[in-house]
C-alpha cells in the first residue's frame, strides 16, 4: 500500500463500517467519492476533504453503501471494514424517537448507561445528530462523564444545544466555549459548563450529584425558553454498574428521563429494573455493544484531554486564537479545590445505602420484565412499565462544606501547570463577606453554594508562580485588562506545552 500523495479507495457496503485508528504523528485525508456515509451520525459531504490529525479512532458508516478514498502521511495503525455493527439497532431507536415526535409533538429525554468502552458516547452523538437531521428541532447533548473533554476541558459537566452538525474532524464534539460560538463556523450557543474539577465522579459524589441537579435546572430553563425548537435531550454518562443505581435514579429524576438505554450489558438492564422506582410510561431498553468499540488506554485518554486544553487556549486549525499571558499577584484571587473523598468506599458518603437527607424518596422498586426480543426486530419504545410508580421530590440540604476547600496561601508546587476554572461571581459580594464577621466555615459554605449554582466563565492555565514575589502568570485565550473573576478553582487537569 502506498502512502503520501497517492490515494486508496475503500468500498463500504450497506450497514457496514470502515474502522480506522490513525497514527499519533500522521494525518489522514478522507473524501466521500460516491454514495452516502457518516461519522458518528454526522453526514459526510461528497467531494470534500476531511482532515484528521494526530491519533484518532473513527468509524465511517454507511446505510446505503458508499465508496471513499483516503491518503495518509503515515501508515494507519489499523483499518478494516466490518459488517458486525449495531447500526440497525441505532436506526430503529432513532426512528422510534422520531415517530413519537412526529405523532405527539413530544420530545424524548434519553439516559444512556453502561460499562466502560461500550459506545455510550458514540450512541449519544449519533442520536443527537439524527434528531437534528430529521426534524426542525435542536437536541440538547449532555455530558456527565468528567473524563471526557466534550464542549469544554475534562473534569467538567456540560450541556449544549446543538444547532449545527457536529464536527467530525475533532474529538471534542467540534467546539468549546472559545472555538465554537462567534467563529462563523458554528451557530451553537455557548455550552453550559459546571466545574467538577475531578476526573472520577466517585471522588466526590456529593458535589457530583449537586452539579447534576444544577445542570438539569439550567437545561430545563433552556427548554422552557424555546420549547418549540428544542429536540431530544440525550445524556451520556461515565461507566456505571448496578451499585450506582441511586445515582442513576437521581439523574432520572433530575432530568425527567423517560427512556433509559443500557448499552452492552443485559444483566445491568435486568438488575436496574429490579432496583429503580419509575413513573408511568417510562421505558428501559438494551442496546448491543458495537464490535468496533476498543478499550481506550489511559495514555490515549490523557492525550485527548491535553489536546482539548490546547484547543481551548490556541483554537483549532480553522479558528486560531492568540492566547495572552496575564500577570497578577496570588493574593488577588481566592483559590479553591474540590474535596477528594475516598472513592474506594462509597458508603462513607451515606449514599449507596441510603441517607436521611436523600433528595428523592421512592415508594416501590421497578419489577423485572421478561426477556428481550431479538435485537433486529424489537420495537425500542414498546417495553413500557405496566406498573405505576411515583417519585416524591423533597428539598435537599446539600453538604456544601464537603464540596470545595479553600487553598490558603497556594505555592508554586500547587499551581504551576494547573488549569483553573474561573467562576462567575455575579451575586456574590466578597468584600461584604470579609467585613461581616462570618467565620471560615460559613464563608466556605456560602462560596460553595454560589459556585455550584453558577456556571464556569472560562479557564486559565497557570504558566508560572513565584513564591518569593507572590507573582502569578496566567494564560487566557484572548487579551484581557483584568481577569473575569477572582475565584479560581484548581482542577485536576495539568497541561504541558
Amino acid at each position: 500500500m502506498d502512502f503520501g500523495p497517492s490515494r486508496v479507495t475503500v468500498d463500504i457496503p450497506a450497514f457496514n463500517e470502515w474502522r480506522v485508528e490513525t497514527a499519533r504523528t500522521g494525518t489522514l485525508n478522507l473524501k466521500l467519492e460516491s454514495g452516502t456515509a457518516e461519522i458518528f451520525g454526522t453526514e459526510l459531504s461528497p467531494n470534500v476533504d476531511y482532515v484528521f490529525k494526530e491519533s484518532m479512532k473513527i468509524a465511517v458508516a454507511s446505510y446505503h453503501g458508499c465508496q471513499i478514498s483516503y491518503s495518509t502521511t503515515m501508515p494507519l495503525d489499523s483499518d478494516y471494514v466490518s459488517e458486525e455493527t449495531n447500526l440497525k439497532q441505532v436506526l430503529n431507536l432513532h426512528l422510534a424517537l422520531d415517530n413519537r415526535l412526529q405523532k405527539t409533538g413530544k420530545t424524548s429525554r434519553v439516559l444512556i448507561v453502561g460499562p466502560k468502552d461500550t459506545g455510550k458516547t458514540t450512541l449519544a452523538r449519533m442520536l443527537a445528530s439524527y434528531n437534528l437531521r430529521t426534524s426542525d428541532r435542536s437536541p440538547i447533548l449532555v455530558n456527565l462523564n468528567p473524563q471526557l473533554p466534550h464542549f469544554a476541558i475534562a473534569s467538567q459537566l456540560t450541556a449544549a444545544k446543538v444547532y449545527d452538525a457536529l464536527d467530525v474532524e475533532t474529538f471534542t464534539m467540534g467546539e468549546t466555549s472559545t472555538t465554537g460560538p462567534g467563529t462563523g463556523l458554528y451557530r451553537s450557543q455557548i455550552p453550559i459548563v459546571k466545574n467538577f474539577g475531578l476526573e472520577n465522579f466517585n471522588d466526590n459524589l456529593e458535589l457530583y450529584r449537586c452539579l447534576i441537579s444544577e445542570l438539569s435546572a439550567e437545561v430545563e430553563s433552556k427548554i422552557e425558553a424555546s420549547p418549540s425548537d428544542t429536540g431530544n435531550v440525550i445524556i451520556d454518562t461515565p461507566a456505571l454498574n448496578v451499585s450506582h443505581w441511586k445515582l442513576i435514579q437521581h439523574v432520572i429524576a433530575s432530568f425527567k428521563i423517560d427512556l433509559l438505554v443500557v448499552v452492552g450489558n443485559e444483566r445491568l438492564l435486568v438488575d436496574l429494573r429490579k432496583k429503580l422506582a419509575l413513573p408511568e410510561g417510562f421505558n428501559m431498553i438494551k442496546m448491543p455493544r458495537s464490535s468496533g468499540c476498543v478499550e481506550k488506554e489511559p495514555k490515549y485518554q490523557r492525550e485527548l484531554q491535553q489536546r482539548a486544553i490546547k484547543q481551548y487556549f490556541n483554537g483549532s486549525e480553522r479558528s486560531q486564537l492568540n492566547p495572552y499571558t496575564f500577570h497578577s499577584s496570588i493574593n488577588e484571587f481566592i483559590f479553591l479545590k474540590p474535596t477528594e473523598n475516598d472513592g474506594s468506599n462509597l458508603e462513607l458518603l451515606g449514599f449507596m445505602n441510603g441517607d436521611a437527607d436523600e433528595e428523592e424518596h421512592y415508594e416501590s422498586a421497578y419489577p423485572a420484565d421478561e426477556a428481550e426480543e431479538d435485537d433486529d426486530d424489537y420495537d425500542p419504545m414498546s417495553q413500557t412499565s405496566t406498573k405505576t410508580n411515583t417519585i416524591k421530590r423533597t428539598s435537599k440540604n446539600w453538604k456544601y462544606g464537603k464540596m470545595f476547600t479553600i487553598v490558603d496561601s497556594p505555592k508554586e508546587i500547587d499551581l504551576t501547570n494547573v488549569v483553573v476554572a474561573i467562576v462567575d461571581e455575579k451575586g456574590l459580594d466578597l468584600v461584604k463577606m470579609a467585613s461581616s464577621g462570618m467565620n471560615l466555615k460559613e464563608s466556605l459554605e456560602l462560596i460553595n453554594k454560589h459556585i455550584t449554582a453558577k456556571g464556569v466563565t472560562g479557564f486559565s492555565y497557570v504558566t508560572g508562580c513565584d513564591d518569593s514575589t507572590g507573582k502569578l502568570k496566567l494564560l487566557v485565550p484572548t487579551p484581557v485588562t483584568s481577569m473575569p473573576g477572582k475565584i479560581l478553582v484548581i482542577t485536576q487537569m495539568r497541561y504541558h506545552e
Side-chain angles (χ1 to χ4, degrees):
M1 184 179 295
D2 294 327
F3 298 94
S6 61
R7 299 190 71 86
V8 180
T9 60
V10 178
D11 292 312
I12 306 175
F15 290 97
N16 280 228
E17 290 178 342
W18 180 55
R19 296 167 181 166
V20 185
E21 294 184 33
T22 61
R24 187 175 185 273
T25 58
T27 297
L28 168 67
N29 185 294
L30 175 69
K31 182 187 294 185
L32 174 64
E33 299 290 352
S34 63
T36 60
E38 62 181 47
I39 296 178
F40 304 141
T42 299
E43 196 169 12
L44 300 183
S45 299
N47 299 315
V48 172
D49 287 320
Y50 294 91
V51 181
F52 302 88
K53 293 191 173 182
E54 301 181 276
S55 181
M56 293 279 282
K57 302 177 190 294
I58 62 173
V60 181
S62 179
Y63 284 104
H64 302 96
C66 71
Q67 184 179 82
I68 61 170
S69 68
Y70 73 91
S71 63
T72 63
T73 59
M74 293 289 290
L76 297 173
D77 287 348
S78 173
D79 80 290
Y80 65 98
V81 175
S82 175
E83 63 180 10
E84 296 180 356
T85 74
N86 62 355
L87 291 174
K88 290 182 180 179
Q89 290 80 14
V90 176
L91 181 60
N92 285 343
L93 176 54
H94 162 67
L95 292 175
L97 297 175
D98 190 61
N99 185 57
R100 180 193 186 197
L101 177 62
Q102 299 299 329
K103 285 186 175 181
T104 68
K106 293 182 179 179
T107 57
S108 300
R109 301 184 181 212
V110 184
L111 176 62
I112 302 172
V113 301
K116 184 177 183 293
D117 297 327
T118 52
K120 298 185 298 296
T121 301
T122 297
L123 176 60
R125 184 168 178 164
M126 291 175 72
L127 290 178
S129 295
Y130 291 169
N131 185 210
L132 181 68
R133 285 163 56 180
T134 61
S135 72
D136 57 355
R137 295 175 179 249
S138 298
I140 295 178
L141 194 52
V142 180
N143 172 45
L144 300 184
N145 187 350
Q147 293 185 338
L148 297 179
H150 288 168
F151 301 112
I153 68 168
S155 78
Q156 311 297 302
L157 308 185
T158 62
K161 196 168 185 178
V162 182
Y163 289 95
D164 298 289
L166 297 169
D167 190 350
V168 299
E169 296 174 330
T170 74
F171 52 90
T172 59
M173 299 298 184
E175 59 189 78
T176 67
S177 54
T178 56
T179 58
T183 64
L185 297 173
Y186 302 99
R187 193 166 55 85
S188 185
Q189 295 176 354
I190 294 177
I192 304 168
V193 181
K194 294 290 185 179
N195 178 53
F196 182 57
L198 305 170
E199 284 194 70
N200 298 309
F201 72 93
N202 286 336
D203 288 344
N204 194 327
L205 272 173
E206 185 77 1
L207 173 59
Y208 185 67
R209 294 174 64 238
C210 177
L211 292 179
I212 287 173
S213 293
E214 296 291 347
L215 183 63
S216 67
E218 293 200 34
V219 168
E220 203 64 39
S221 296
K222 188 179 287 288
I223 294 172
E224 291 174 358
S226 54
S228 61
D229 75 342
T230 301
N232 298 327
V233 178
I234 314 293
I235 302 175
D236 188 20
T237 59
L240 299 174
N241 56 52
V242 70
S243 70
H244 303 117
W245 72 271
K246 284 192 176 180
L247 177 59
I248 295 171
Q249 186 88 72
H250 177 69
V251 177
I252 289 172
S254 297
F255 284 94
K256 303 177 183 177
I257 301 298
D258 51 37
L259 174 63
L260 176 63
V261 180
V262 179
V263 183
N265 191 323
E266 186 174 15
R267 173 64 183 272
L268 177 59
L269 175 73
V270 173
D271 289 343
L272 288 178
R273 280 179 172 159
K274 296 175 181 178
K275 291 283 188 180
L276 298 176
L278 300 166
E280 184 179 9
F282 192 94
N283 293 279
M284 296 179 67
I285 65 169
K286 70 173 182 178
M287 178 65 63
R289 174 185 182 273
S290 172
S291 64
C293 294
V294 294
E295 182 178 354
K296 298 178 181 64
E297 57 277 9
K299 182 179 179 182
Y300 175 74
Q301 182 168 283
R302 187 68 61 192
E303 286 178 359
L304 295 185
Q305 293 174 348
Q306 291 288 296
R307 283 154 59 183
I309 295 172
K310 181 179 179 181
Q311 178 179 314
Y312 178 85
F313 290 104
N314 296 284
S316 62
E317 188 167 318
R318 294 180 300 176
S319 177
Q320 296 185 4
L321 301 174
N322 295 311
Y324 175 77
T325 300
F326 183 82
H327 297 265
S328 185
S329 298
I330 294 177
N331 58 17
E332 289 187 20
F333 302 97
I334 297 175
F335 287 91
L336 296 98
K337 66 177 181 179
T339 303
E340 294 183 56
N341 300 315
D342 183 2
S344 64
N345 188 356
L346 303 181
E347 293 178 5
L348 290 176
L349 289 177
F351 178 55
M352 290 305 167
N353 287 338
D355 192 327
D357 294 329
E358 191 66 53
E359 181 182 11
E360 296 92 16
H361 299 274
Y362 313 108
E363 293 190 343
S364 60
Y366 197 87
D369 286 352
E370 298 297 325
E372 301 294 322
E373 297 177 13
D374 183 75
D375 287 330
D376 287 342
D377 301 323
Y378 79 107
D379 178 356
M381 301 299 288
S382 66
Q383 303 171 48
T384 306
S385 170
T386 58
K387 182 174 181 178
T388 300
N389 296 281
T390 58
I391 298 178
K392 294 180 180 179
R393 303 206 57 172
T394 61
S395 61
K396 169 69 180 181
N397 294 319
W398 297 108
K399 300 179 180 70
Y400 289 105
K402 295 185 177 182
M403 295 183 180
F404 296 95
T405 56
I406 294 177
V407 181
D408 189 27
S409 302
K411 303 299 182 183
E412 180 178 355
I413 192 173
D414 302 313
L415 298 178
T416 302
N417 296 326
V418 165
V419 179
V420 295
I422 307 169
V423 177
D424 181 1
E425 293 176 19
K426 187 176 180 181
L428 185 65
D429 193 333
L430 297 174
V431 176
K432 185 177 180 179
M433 284 178 55
S435 60
S436 66
M438 193 179 297
N439 62 40
L440 181 61
K441 181 180 178 181
E442 293 172 333
S443 298
L444 179 61
E445 289 190 354
L446 184 60
I447 291 175
N448 284 352
K449 185 175 182 179
H450 176 85
I451 64 179
T452 52
K454 294 290 185 178
V456 173
T457 300
F459 301 95
S460 182
Y461 161 56
V462 181
T463 59
C465 178
D466 191 327
D467 290 343
S468 60
T469 62
K471 297 298 182 182
L472 196 64
K473 290 194 297 183
L474 298 166
L475 189 71
V476 291
T478 55
V480 293
T481 56
S482 63
M483 289 292 285
K486 297 297 183 183
I487 300 178
L488 304 181
V489 184
I490 299 171
T491 73
Q492 283 187 337
M493 295 295 103
R494 303 292 187 269
Y495 180 63
H496 303 277
E497 288 281 5

